[in-house]
Structure formats: structure tokens, C-alpha cells
Amino acid sequence: MKQLTLIITFCCLVMIGCNDSPRLKTVKVERPKYTIVIHGGAGTILKKNMTPQKDKAYRDALNEALNIGESILKLGGSSIDAVEKTINFMENSDLFNAGKGAVFTHEGKNEMDASIMYGKDQNAGAVGGVTNIKHPISAARAVLEKSEHVMMAGKGAEDFAEKNGIEIVDPAYFKTERRWNSLQKALKSEKGESVLSEDEDKDKKHGTVGCVALDQDGNITAGTSTGGMTNKKYNRLGDSPIIGAGTFADNATCGVSCTGHGEFFIRYTVARDIAAMMEYGGKSLAESAHYVINEKLVEKGGAGGIVALDQEGNVAMDFNTEGMYRAYSKPGERVVKIYKEED
Ligand code: ASP
């Protein structure tokens, strides 16, 4: 009996000793209460082409967008609310190619695409080619929550949105002078009547908005909204309404929103590819985002970028263009950037 007591005491001492050993202590990094990251499009965004006023207007808009999402997350609101409301604000701004600021199609119309995905259950909703929905991201959310489908397009999507109380506007609401002029320039250059500068040519492909949020319950949502590409034809759809290409979210890995030359993002399923590297390859978010955007996509010739975050609140804002309107916020930390040289 005495011997048994001695053995037990010895084992206990060894265990206490082990617990105290710094070698075995695991450092647990607390995840931030919430995190939110946004983009307002990637492209040929050069400081030399910006006025100080324009620069300030974009930074103010990015800050304001973050404030909206952050105020929801701070109070314990859901990531899906934060993403929708943040994108709604960006859709109301004519600075971005989404909602009010959407670019024109070849026929002089505005056709918008959006998608949203909830990382907890991987439910998703998307609309493509809609012309009269003030907030396409809200219509995408309605598809997610109020239908058995993931993706709706054109007139059907518009009817569904209207039936579900989503705000409908006259398509003329989306007409802005700036985007109209961009279309006229693109049409002239197509007819050979003028030549777009290299910057203008590259720029007609970019400008989408996106948001990814992690809420206090640990749920990730990703959303993307766009007018697509200037001078697009034949009801062309880009990556933004396609789950896995322009938007993806899974609590187990990450949430991603993309912007760039949609055809490439569709072919290489960019958003899902980043999550898949984490899921199957055990890579970190930073490694996965860098590889897909700055190695694979560059090799394939696809211009653009992403914003993403993981369960721990790590943020990635990778792009392979001259710039990307980008920003993130978490408790005690906020970053707002435009140009490449700010990294
Ligand atoms: N990805 C969008 C599209 O191809 C455009 C963009 O992000 O600017 O429709």
C-alpha cells in the first residue's frame, strides 16, 4: 500500500513538473472578437492618376463602409448582416462598380451580379444580370434565405427579389456620367476611332466590391457585388455571382471575396482554390492567398485580387495589379490602403 502511495505521488509530481515545463506549454492566440475586411476593386490604380480629393474620397468611403460592418459586429450582430449592410453602403456609392456606380454593357444597360455565402452551413445565394435591383447583394441574401436555390438570373431573379420585398428601382437610377463616358470611350476604341490608354484598357475590367466578416460566434460570411465589365456583351456573367469563383466561405477554412478579370477567376475557381489549399494542403491563409493570386493567377495571365479572413481573424488582401481599394478592421486595429507601394 505504502509502495502504491509512493508511486502515485511520484506520478503526480512528474505530471505537475511536465505542466510547468515551458517546452510543453502551448501558446493559445486569442482570436479577435470580430474581424471585417473589404475591397472596392483591383486594377490600374496609380497614385499619379489620383487627385488628393479622389484619394481622400476613396479612403473616406472605405472607412465609412468598415464603420457600418464593425458597428454590427461589435454589438454581437451576425457576419451575414455585417456583410450585407457594408456592401449596401458601397452599392450606394458611385465610386465603386456596384449598384449605383455599376458600369455599362455594350448596349448601354447596367447588368449587375452579386453573391453571398455563409460559412457556418455553407448556404449561398446569388443573382446574375439584374437591371433594376438597387442592392443586388440583398437579393442574393434573399435567394440564400428564402429559396431552395443558390443562383437566379435576369428577369426571374428580379421577380423573385420584388416578391421578397427587395427594393426595385428604375434602371435609369444606375446611369452615372462617369461610367457612361467610359462606355463611350470603349465603344470608340472598339470601332478603331480612338485608342484607350494602357491604363484605361486594363481598368475596364475592374471595380467590384466585396466584404468578408467574422462575427463573435465565430461565423464567417463572404459577399461580392459588381456591375461586371464595361462594354460586356451577350448577358456575359463574371465570377462575382459564382460561388467558388468570386465568393466562398467555410468556417473550417476561410471566407474569400474576389475582384478582377472574371473569366480567369471562373476558370481557376479562385475563391475555392484558396480554401482548398487550406483544407487539403494544411496551408495557412497567407500562403494560400499568395500562391493563388501572385503565382498561379499571374502565370495564367489573370489580373485581380482578393480579400479573405480565417477563423482566427487572420486577414489576407492579395492582388497582382497596380492597386486595390482595400481595408480591414478588428478591435484595436484598422488598415486602409489603395496603392501597391503601401504594402
Ligand atoms: N470580377 C468582375 C467581373 O469579371 C469584375 C471586377 O471585379 O472588377 O465581372
Side-chain angles (χ1 to χ4, degrees):
M1 186 65 192
K2 221 179 182 180
Q3 256 179 346
L4 187 69
T5 319
L6 270 173
I7 290 169
I8 292 173
T9 316
F10 177 75
C11 287
C12 286
L13 284 173
V14 169
M15 278 164 71
I16 291 166
C18 285
N19 273 346
D20 266 1
S21 149
R23 195 169 52 86
L24 291 180
K25 259 186 199 155
T26 46
V27 186
K28 189 153 180 351
V29 184
E30 284 274 307
R31 86 168 150 83
K33 256 182 142 180
Y34 62 83
T35 307
I36 179 166
V37 60
I38 57 175
H39 69 75
T44 319
I45 309 165
L46 295 166
K47 203 165 185 178
K48 68 170 170 71
N49 296 340
M50 281 277 207
T51 61
Q53 291 84 343
K54 216 170 147 194
D55 180 293
K56 183 174 178 313
Y58 275 104
R59 286 181 206 268
D60 287 351
L62 291 170
N63 268 308
E64 187 55 31
L66 283 181
N67 289 346
I68 289 167
E70 198 169 13
S71 64
I72 294 169
L73 297 168
K74 245 185 210 161
L75 293 175
S78 71
S79 55
I80 196 159
D81 281 342
V83 167
E84 182 192 4
K85 300 298 174 223
T86 302
I87 292 184
N88 283 165
F89 170 81
M90 297 176 95
E91 287 173 332
N92 283 342
S93 163
D94 62 5
L95 290 174
F96 305 106
N97 172 19
K100 178 73 188 155
V103 298
F104 283 90
T105 65
H106 183 73
E107 296 79 21
K109 295 202 305 179
N110 305 96
E111 291 177 358
M112 293 154 288
D113 311 325
S115 64
I116 192 162
M117 187 167 191
Y118 189 43
K120 185 180 179 183
D121 51 15
Q122 296 198 270
N123 219 338
V127 293
V130 295
T131 58
N132 63 0
I133 298 175
K134 189 174 184 190
H135 292 296
I137 195 73
S138 301
R141 181 176 179 173
V143 173
L144 183 160
E145 288 176 341
K146 298 177 179 162
S147 86
E148 55 188 304
H149 305 302
V150 169
M151 197 172 187
M152 296 183 190
K155 179 87 173 64
E158 293 170 355
D159 289 348
F160 173 83
E162 189 168 8
K163 267 195 197 133
N164 284 282
I166 301 297
E167 191 174 351
I168 301 295
V169 289
D170 186 320
Y173 163 80
F174 300 103
K175 185 167 181 178
T176 60
E177 209 185 309
R178 173 181 168 209
R179 302 300 190 191
W180 184 253
N181 292 342
S182 300
L183 173 65
Q184 301 319 309
K185 275 189 186 173
L187 291 174
K188 274 190 180 165
S189 95
E190 203 175 50
K191 284 192 223 144
E193 289 169 14
S194 71
V195 182
L196 289 182
S197 71
E198 205 188 322
D199 291 352
E200 280 170 339
D201 189 43
K202 284 189 198 161
D203 218 32
K204 66 180 188 203
K205 299 180 181 116
H206 311 288
T208 300
V209 306
C211 176
V212 189
L214 168 70
D215 62 29
Q216 295 194 31
D217 295 326
N219 293 318
I220 297 173
T221 299
T224 311
S225 182
T226 190
M229 284 165 66
T230 301
N231 199 23
K232 63 185 180 182
K233 295 170 190 158
Y234 310 116
N235 302 111
R236 174 261 187 196
L237 295 171
D239 59 312
S240 309
I242 299 179
I243 296 301
T247 302
F248 189 75
D250 179 0
N251 279 0
T253 51
C254 63
V256 185
S257 170
C258 303
T259 176
H261 195 158
E263 279 67 13
F264 288 84
F265 283 71
I266 296 172
R267 285 187 204 123
Y268 302 108
T269 54
V270 166
R272 171 63 192 152
D273 217 23
I274 292 171
M277 279 186 72
M278 296 176 73
E279 185 175 347
Y280 303 126
K283 302 285 184 205
S284 69
L285 175 66
E287 287 170 313
S288 310
H290 177 81
Y291 174 75
V292 174
I293 299 301
N294 291 101
E295 292 189 38
K296 185 168 173 182
L297 215 52
V298 169
E299 195 183 296
K300 305 289 183 190
I306 58 101
V307 294
L309 56 73
D310 67 14
Q311 258 292 324
E312 264 83 60
N314 296 306
V315 166
M317 304 194 292
D318 289 72
F319 55 99
N320 59 30
T321 51
E322 300 299 333
M324 180 167 81
Y325 300 106
R326 60 201 187 278
Y328 74 83
S329 209
K330 48 176 96 172
E333 195 179 336
R334 180 173 286 209
V335 168
V336 176
K337 291 179 181 176
I338 299 178
Y339 316 107
K340 194 176 176 167
E341 58 268 27
E342 285 176 270
D343 276 349

Coordinates of all heavy atoms in Angstrom, one line a residue, residues 46-84:
L46 N -3.2 53.9 -59.9 CA -1.9 54.5 -59.7 C -2.0 55.9 -59.0 O -2.9 56.7 -59.4 CB -1.2 54.7 -61.1 CG -0.9 53.4 -61.8 CD1 -0.5 53.8 -63.3 CD2 0.3 52.7 -61.2
K47 N -1.1 56.1 -58.1 CA -1.1 57.4 -57.4 C -1.0 58.6 -58.3 O -1.6 59.6 -58.1 CB 0.1 57.4 -56.4 CG -0.1 58.3 -55.3 CD 0.8 58.1 -54.1 CE 0.4 59.0 -53.0 NZ 1.2 58.9 -51.8
K48 N -0.2 58.4 -59.4 CA 0.0 59.5 -60.4 C -1.3 59.9 -61.1 O -1.5 61.0 -61.5 CB 1.1 59.2 -61.4 CG 0.8 58.1 -62.4 CD 1.8 58.1 -63.5 CE 1.8 56.9 -64.4 NZ 0.9 56.5 -65.3
N49 N -2.3 59.0 -61.1 CA -3.6 59.3 -61.8 C -4.6 59.8 -60.8 O -5.8 60.1 -61.2 CB -4.1 58.1 -62.5 CG -3.2 57.6 -63.6 OD1 -2.4 58.4 -64.1 ND2 -3.3 56.4 -64.0
M50 N -4.3 59.9 -59.5 CA -5.2 60.3 -58.5 C -5.0 61.7 -58.0 O -3.9 62.1 -57.8 CB -5.0 59.4 -57.2 CG -5.6 58.0 -57.4 SD -7.3 58.1 -57.0 CE -7.5 56.4 -56.4
T51 N -6.1 62.4 -57.8 CA -6.0 63.7 -57.2 C -6.1 63.5 -55.7 O -6.7 62.5 -55.3 CB -7.2 64.7 -57.6 OG1 -8.4 64.0 -57.2 CG2 -7.2 64.9 -59.1
P52 N -5.6 64.4 -54.9 CA -5.7 64.2 -53.4 C -7.2 64.1 -53.0 O -7.5 63.3 -52.1 CB -5.1 65.5 -52.8 CG -4.2 66.1 -53.9 CD -4.8 65.6 -55.2
Q53 N -8.1 64.8 -53.7 CA -9.5 64.7 -53.4 C -10.1 63.4 -53.6 O -10.8 62.8 -52.8 CB -10.3 65.8 -54.2 CG -10.1 67.2 -53.9 CD -8.9 67.8 -54.6 OE1 -8.0 67.1 -55.1 NE2 -8.8 69.1 -54.6
K54 N -9.7 62.8 -54.8 CA -10.2 61.5 -55.1 C -9.6 60.4 -54.2 O -10.4 59.5 -53.7 CB -9.7 61.1 -56.6 CG -10.7 60.4 -57.4 CD -10.3 60.3 -58.8 CE -10.8 59.0 -59.4 NZ -10.1 58.7 -60.7
D55 N -8.4 60.6 -53.9 CA -7.7 59.6 -52.9 C -8.5 59.7 -51.6 O -8.8 58.6 -51.0 CB -6.3 60.1 -52.7 CG -5.5 59.2 -51.8 OD1 -5.8 59.3 -50.6 OD2 -4.6 58.5 -52.2
K56 N -8.8 60.9 -51.1 CA -9.5 61.1 -49.8 C -10.9 60.5 -49.9 O -11.4 59.8 -49.0 CB -9.5 62.5 -49.5 CG -10.2 62.8 -48.1 CD -10.1 64.2 -47.7 CE -10.7 64.5 -46.3 NZ -12.1 63.9 -46.1
A57 N -11.6 60.7 -51.0 CA -12.9 60.3 -51.2 C -13.0 58.7 -51.1 O -13.9 58.2 -50.4 CB -13.5 60.7 -52.5
Y58 N -12.0 58.0 -51.7 CA -12.0 56.6 -51.6 C -11.7 56.1 -50.2 O -12.3 55.2 -49.7 CB -11.0 56.0 -52.6 CG -11.5 55.8 -54.0 CD1 -11.2 56.7 -55.0 CD2 -12.4 54.8 -54.2 CE1 -11.8 56.5 -56.3 CE2 -13.0 54.6 -55.5 CZ -12.7 55.5 -56.5 OH -13.2 55.3 -57.8
R59 N -10.7 56.8 -49.6 CA -10.3 56.3 -48.2 C -11.5 56.6 -47.2 O -11.8 55.8 -46.3 CB -9.1 57.1 -47.7 CG -7.8 56.5 -48.4 CD -6.6 57.2 -47.9 NE -5.5 57.1 -48.9 CZ -4.7 56.1 -49.0 NH1 -4.6 55.2 -48.1 NH2 -3.8 56.0 -50.0
D60 N -12.2 57.7 -47.4 CA -13.3 58.0 -46.5 C -14.4 57.0 -46.7 O -15.0 56.5 -45.8 CB -13.9 59.4 -46.9 CG -13.1 60.5 -46.4 OD1 -12.1 60.3 -45.6 OD2 -13.3 61.7 -46.7
A61 N -14.7 56.6 -48.0 CA -15.7 55.6 -48.3 C -15.3 54.3 -47.7 O -16.2 53.6 -47.1 CB -15.9 55.5 -49.8
L62 N -14.1 53.9 -47.8 CA -13.7 52.6 -47.2 C -13.8 52.6 -45.7 O -14.3 51.6 -45.1 CB -12.2 52.3 -47.6 CG -12.0 52.0 -49.1 CD1 -10.5 51.9 -49.4 CD2 -12.6 50.6 -49.5
N63 N -13.4 53.7 -45.1 CA -13.6 53.8 -43.6 C -15.0 53.8 -43.2 O -15.4 53.1 -42.3 CB -13.0 55.2 -43.2 CG -11.5 55.0 -42.7 OD1 -11.2 54.1 -42.0 ND2 -10.6 55.8 -43.3
E64 N -15.9 54.5 -44.0 CA -17.3 54.5 -43.6 C -17.9 53.1 -43.8 O -18.7 52.7 -42.9 CB -18.0 55.5 -44.6 CG -19.4 55.8 -44.3 CD -19.7 56.3 -42.9 OE1 -18.9 56.9 -42.2 OE2 -20.8 56.0 -42.4
A65 N -17.5 52.4 -44.8 CA -18.0 51.0 -45.1 C -17.6 50.2 -43.9 O -18.4 49.4 -43.3 CB -17.5 50.5 -46.4
L66 N -16.3 50.3 -43.5 CA -15.9 49.5 -42.3 C -16.7 49.8 -41.0 O -17.0 48.9 -40.3 CB -14.4 49.7 -42.0 CG -13.4 49.0 -42.9 CD1 -12.0 49.4 -42.5 CD2 -13.6 47.5 -43.0
N67 N -16.9 51.1 -40.8 CA -17.7 51.5 -39.7 C -19.0 50.9 -39.6 O -19.5 50.4 -38.5 CB -17.9 53.1 -39.7 CG -16.7 53.8 -39.4 OD1 -15.7 53.3 -39.0 ND2 -16.7 55.1 -39.8
I68 N -19.7 50.7 -40.8 CA -21.0 50.1 -40.8 C -21.0 48.7 -40.4 O -21.7 48.2 -39.5 CB -21.6 50.3 -42.2 CG1 -22.0 51.8 -42.4 CG2 -22.9 49.4 -42.4 CD1 -22.3 52.2 -43.8
G69 N -20.0 47.9 -41.0 CA -19.9 46.5 -40.6 C -19.5 46.3 -39.2 O -20.0 45.5 -38.5
E70 N -18.5 47.1 -38.8 CA -17.9 47.0 -37.5 C -19.0 47.3 -36.4 O -19.0 46.6 -35.3 CB -16.7 48.0 -37.3 CG -15.8 47.6 -36.2 CD -14.5 48.3 -36.2 OE1 -14.4 49.3 -36.9 OE2 -13.6 47.9 -35.4
S71 N -19.8 48.3 -36.6 CA -20.8 48.6 -35.6 C -21.8 47.4 -35.4 O -22.2 47.2 -34.2 CB -21.5 49.9 -35.9 OG -22.3 49.7 -37.1
I72 N -22.0 46.7 -36.4 CA -22.9 45.5 -36.2 C -22.1 44.4 -35.5 O -22.7 43.8 -34.5 CB -23.3 45.0 -37.6 CG1 -24.2 46.0 -38.3 CG2 -24.0 43.6 -37.6 CD1 -24.5 45.8 -39.8
L73 N -20.9 44.1 -35.9 CA -20.1 43.0 -35.3 C -19.8 43.3 -33.8 O -19.8 42.4 -33.0 CB -18.8 42.8 -36.1 CG -19.0 42.4 -37.5 CD1 -17.7 42.5 -38.3 CD2 -19.6 41.0 -37.6
K74 N -19.5 44.6 -33.5 CA -19.2 45.0 -32.1 C -20.3 44.6 -31.1 O -20.1 44.2 -30.0 CB -19.0 46.5 -32.1 CG -17.6 46.9 -31.7 CD -17.6 48.5 -31.6 CE -16.2 48.9 -32.0 NZ -16.2 50.3 -32.4
L75 N -21.6 44.8 -31.6 CA -22.7 44.6 -30.8 C -23.1 43.1 -30.8 O -24.2 42.8 -30.2 CB -23.9 45.4 -31.2 CG -23.8 47.0 -31.1 CD1 -24.9 47.7 -31.7 CD2 -23.6 47.3 -29.6
G76 N -22.3 42.3 -31.4 CA -22.6 40.8 -31.4 C -23.5 40.4 -32.6 O -24.1 39.3 -32.6
G77 N -23.7 41.3 -33.5 CA -24.5 41.0 -34.7 C -23.8 39.9 -35.6 O -22.7 39.6 -35.4
S78 N -24.6 39.4 -36.5 CA -24.1 38.3 -37.3 C -23.2 38.8 -38.5 O -23.4 39.9 -39.0 CB -25.2 37.5 -37.9 OG -25.9 38.2 -38.9
S79 N -22.3 37.9 -38.9 CA -21.4 38.3 -40.1 C -22.2 38.5 -41.3 O -21.9 39.3 -42.2 CB -20.4 37.2 -40.3 OG -20.9 36.0 -40.5
I80 N -23.4 37.8 -41.5 CA -24.2 38.0 -42.7 C -24.8 39.4 -42.7 O -24.8 40.0 -43.8 CB -25.2 36.8 -42.8 CG1 -25.7 36.8 -44.3 CG2 -26.3 36.9 -41.8 CD1 -26.3 35.4 -44.7
D81 N -25.2 39.9 -41.6 CA -25.8 41.2 -41.5 C -24.7 42.2 -41.8 O -24.9 43.2 -42.6 CB -26.3 41.6 -40.1 CG -27.7 41.0 -39.9 OD1 -28.4 40.6 -40.9 OD2 -28.1 40.9 -38.8
A82 N -23.5 42.0 -41.2 CA -22.4 42.9 -41.4 C -22.0 43.0 -42.9 O -21.8 44.1 -43.5 CB -21.2 42.5 -40.6
V83 N -21.9 41.9 -43.5 CA -21.5 41.8 -45.0 C -22.6 42.5 -45.8 O -22.2 43.4 -46.7 CB -21.2 40.4 -45.4 CG1 -21.2 40.3 -46.9 CG2 -20.0 39.8 -44.8
E84 N -23.8 42.2 -45.6 CA -24.9 42.8 -46.4 C -24.9 44.3 -46.3 O -24.9 45.1 -47.3 CB -26.3 42.2 -46.1 CG -27.4 42.8 -47.0 CD -28.8 42.5 -46.5 OE1 -29.0 41.9 -45.4 OE2 -29.7 43.0 -47.2

